[in-house]
Amino acid sequence: ITGFQTLAFTPLLPSAVANARPNHHRTFTTFQKMTSTPSATRTSSTTPTTDMDDPYLWLEDVESEESLNFAKEANAKCLEALKDPKSSSTYDKVLSILESDDRIAYVSQYGYNDDDEPMMMNLWKDKNNTKGLWRRTTLESYKNESPDWETILDLDLLAKEDDISWVWKGTSALPRSRDPMSKNGKQVTRTLISLSRGGADATHVKEFDMLTKEFVTEDDGGFVLPEAKTKANYKSRDVLFV
């Protein structure tokens, strides 16, 4: 990869996840960029410091009553100065476009089904599914005016069940070439789904079984990463790069 000289791999075993899978032999690995001198790890030229005199340091606790009240007061000032956008005709026009069933359902391919048909995935949002439906169909069906969609994950239902305002942050599929369960590299069987609470930058990463259409629990050896500004990808079916 251009700009990378070497990769240094070190085990990452956070207690929140490592202890959940001692019998499943699944591991986490981090990687770190190296400088042009392989023996030297890139480090910051300055040491981060915390200014204890920062008058807004208390906002670091984003869910505290004080922080939430601060946000509400700031929102009220914005609405007073700029007015509520819902009162304009432009708002209704834009919303109708975003919720229109005439929109193109953009897709990405996720392997093949048992009949060797390409499987196309789409995240769809509308007025009845504001958080989204993650769904799939075959390529042949997708070419029709009304594809036959199969819902894989209902985010609105998941948010209701978990009592958390989940926001979709994307997926990272297990490469078929690295999956011994993929039926000779045909099917995508597992993927990592990233979800954030209320649209925050930090995400929860959970492993999802594409065959059962369910999350793989820690008790069953599934990968579950706690909330953090994390990116994760599969090295193999049982190893993640985090």
Side-chain angles (χ1 to χ4, degrees), residues 81 92 123 210 225:
D92 292 331
L123 180 70
M210 297 296 294
L225 301 183

Side-chain angles (χ1 to χ4, degrees), residues 134-147:
W134 197 41
R135 57 188 190 171
R136 68 186 171 195
T137 190
T138 64
L139 178 58
E140 195 62 32
S141 175
Y142 179 68
K143 295 176 182 179
N144 298 327
E145 184 175 345
S146 299

Side-chain angles (χ1 to χ4, degrees), residues 24-214:
H24 298 286
H25 308 292
R26 311 194 82 192
T27 61
F28 299 81
T29 304
T30 59
F31 65 89
Q32 186 172 24
K33 289 183 188 177
M34 305 296 285
T35 63
S36 56
T37 304
S39 60
T41 302
R42 178 176 296 180
T43 58
S44 173
S45 59
T46 59
T47 302
T49 58
T50 301
D51 185 0
M52 299 307 294
D53 296 326
D54 183 354
Y56 295 103
L57 192 62
W58 52 275
L59 286 172
E60 292 293 328
D61 185 3
V62 296
E63 294 185 346
S64 69
E65 183 177 355
E66 293 82 0
S67 294
L68 293 175
N69 288 335
F70 176 86
K72 291 177 182 177
E73 292 173 5
N75 288 341
K77 292 178 181 178
C78 289
L79 289 173
E80 182 180 357
L82 303 175
K83 309 306 179 185
D84 189 339
K86 294 181 180 179
S87 62
S88 70
S89 59
T90 302
Y91 177 89
D92 292 331
K93 186 180 298 183
V94 171
L95 182 61
S96 66
I97 293 173
L98 293 176
E99 293 182 342
S100 172
D101 291 337
D102 294 331
R103 287 171 293 142
I104 296 175
Y106 292 101
V107 295
S108 57
Q109 184 177 346
Y110 253 59
Y112 300 81
N113 62 13
D114 289 331
D115 297 322
D116 291 328
E117 297 175 295
M119 297 303 297
M120 316 308 293
M121 303 297 302
N122 164 257
L123 180 70
W124 181 260
K125 297 180 181 181
D126 56 30
K127 62 182 179 181
N128 296 319
N129 304 280
T130 57
K131 293 188 176 299
L133 294 174
W134 197 41
R135 57 188 190 171
R136 68 186 171 195
T137 190
T138 64
L139 178 58
E140 195 62 32
S141 175
Y142 179 68
K143 295 176 182 179
N144 298 327
E145 184 175 345
S146 299
D148 183 17
W149 292 105
E150 176 192 6
T151 298
I152 303 302
L153 180 63
D154 185 332
L155 290 174
D156 293 87
L157 180 59
L158 179 67
K160 184 178 180 180
E161 291 176 345
D162 293 348
D163 195 24
I164 298 174
S165 182
W166 290 123
V167 174
W168 181 266
K169 289 290 186 174
T171 66
S172 179
L174 169 59
R176 289 171 283 147
S177 61
R178 304 176 192 173
D179 182 9
M181 309 297 289
S182 67
K183 295 189 176 180
N184 296 319
K186 186 168 64 174
Q187 292 185 343
V188 174
T189 65
R190 294 285 177 91
T191 191
L192 300 173
I193 294 181
S194 296
L195 302 169
S196 74
R197 292 183 301 125
D201 292 334
T203 61
H204 292 258
V205 179
K206 303 181 179 183
E207 189 171 31
F208 191 83
D209 191 316
M210 297 296 294
L211 304 181
T212 64
K213 297 184 289 187
E214 295 179 346

